[in-house]
Amino acid sequence: MQLIIANKNYSSWSMRPWLFLTQHGIPFEEIRIPLYTPESEARLRQYSPSGLVPALLDAHLAVWDSLAICEYLAEIYPHSHGWPADRAARAVARAVSAEIHSGFTALRSSLTMNLKARYRWQQCDAAVMQDIARIEAIWALCRNNYGQQGPWLFGEFSIADAMFAPVATRFVTYSVPVSAQSRTYVDTVYALPAFQHWYDAALRETEVISRYELSDRERLA
Ligand SMILES: N[C@@H](CCC(=O)N[C@@H](CS)C(=O)NCC(=O)O)C(=O)O
């Protein structure tokens, strides 16, 4: 299988299935296409029917979209336990994954993923603050009700964690003040070996995408 991704520093959608594959030791070849270069669009179209990353190629099948890729992988690699075994937990895991997949546009557009950067916390507009509060509420709900068997949202690492991992990095990048429980979850994401591999590679990238570098915030790193 081949996974088409973009810059590890910036591409939050790419990170999700990459983490899922790597965490479960599923062999794949990574094809990295940096975004917003003169060749990006043509190269993306060569692999991805939507022209977006991530895309997974498995023989003649192309699966685009982060959540669809994770679902596909969970079906063909049952050892990955993509969703929790308990039906109620599984329904909630699907609901929160769908919610992050389709929502949080204020957070996504104002606090874009940028693993290398650190900004001093600065109050955001109401829509972003609402998104942050909702994410913390989701994490608290999952951890309190379904997280007894381990440190992840549903105890064991699941697709839901792959979907929320990039959000954890935004909380670090923008020094978002979060509850102790959310902080523990963020630390759990950062401690995951698969995440560490992605993060180390992101730190070594040299591309700078200026639209994702904020000039109106005080930079700490
Ligand atoms: N809903 C899609 C979103 C994919 C997406 O927006 N990817 C961005 C990068 S993170 C992209 O490919 N952008 C390329 C472009 O805009 O040209 C998913 O879950 O995979």
Side-chain angles (χ1 to χ4, degrees):
M1 287 192 293
Q2 296 171 309
L3 183 73
I4 320 305
I5 61 166
N7 317 61
K8 288 185 171 155
N9 189 43
Y10 298 113
S11 182
S12 61
W13 295 111
S14 300
M15 183 200 282
R16 293 166 162 111
W18 192 99
L19 280 187
F20 193 82
L21 282 158
T22 306
Q23 164 70 4
H24 295 299
I26 301 168
F28 70 104
E29 180 196 348
E30 167 188 312
I31 299 179
R32 197 185 75 100
I33 303 178
L35 294 176
Y36 309 121
T37 72
E39 306 82 42
S40 303
E41 198 183 335
R43 288 198 64 204
L44 288 172
R45 291 256 164 228
Q46 189 187 331
Y47 297 107
S48 170
S50 63
L52 299 176
V53 285
L56 182 82
L57 307 182
D58 188 11
H60 297 297
L61 176 69
V63 187
W64 62 101
D65 187 278
S66 55
L67 188 51
I69 295 170
C70 290
E71 294 263 17
Y72 177 74
L73 293 169
E75 276 184 26
I76 56 177
Y77 293 99
H79 80 277
S80 66
H81 302 295
W83 298 114
D86 174 74
R87 182 183 292 145
R90 192 161 63 248
V92 175
R94 285 197 162 113
V96 299
S97 298
E99 190 172 343
I100 188 67
H101 190 240
S102 61
F104 299 101
T105 44
L107 176 95
R108 280 218 291 266
S109 56
S110 295
L111 307 182
T112 58
M113 193 173 96
N114 186 339
L115 294 177
K116 284 176 162 181
R118 288 286 181 284
Y119 296 99
R120 193 180 297 286
W121 167 245
Q122 189 177 305
Q123 189 75 15
C124 302
D125 66 31
V128 178
M129 297 309 293
Q130 237 169 29
D131 280 355
I132 292 171
R134 177 65 193 144
I135 283 162
E136 289 209 84
I138 290 173
W139 290 358
L141 169 101
C142 298
R143 292 287 309 133
N144 295 341
N145 295 343
Y146 307 104
Q148 285 76 19
Q149 305 306 319
W152 298 99
L153 293 176
F154 294 86
E156 304 274 307
F157 183 88
S158 74
I159 290 175
D161 299 294
M163 294 304 289
F164 277 94
V167 179
T169 76
R170 288 166 153 110
F171 285 3
V172 172
T173 295
Y174 298 95
S175 308
V176 179
V178 292
S179 69
Q181 190 179 36
S182 295
R183 182 72 233 177
T184 302
Y185 181 67
V186 169
D187 291 345
T188 300
V189 170
Y190 272 76
L192 184 73
F195 177 84
Q196 280 291 328
H197 287 302
W198 176 282
Y199 184 62
D200 291 346
L203 296 185
R204 289 195 301 273
E205 287 181 345
T206 53
E207 301 101 11
V208 175
I209 302 181
S210 53
R211 71 179 77 179
Y212 297 145
E213 302 290 335
L214 304 188
S215 51
D216 60 339
R217 282 174 179 258
E218 187 184 339
R219 224 168 156 131
L220 302 172

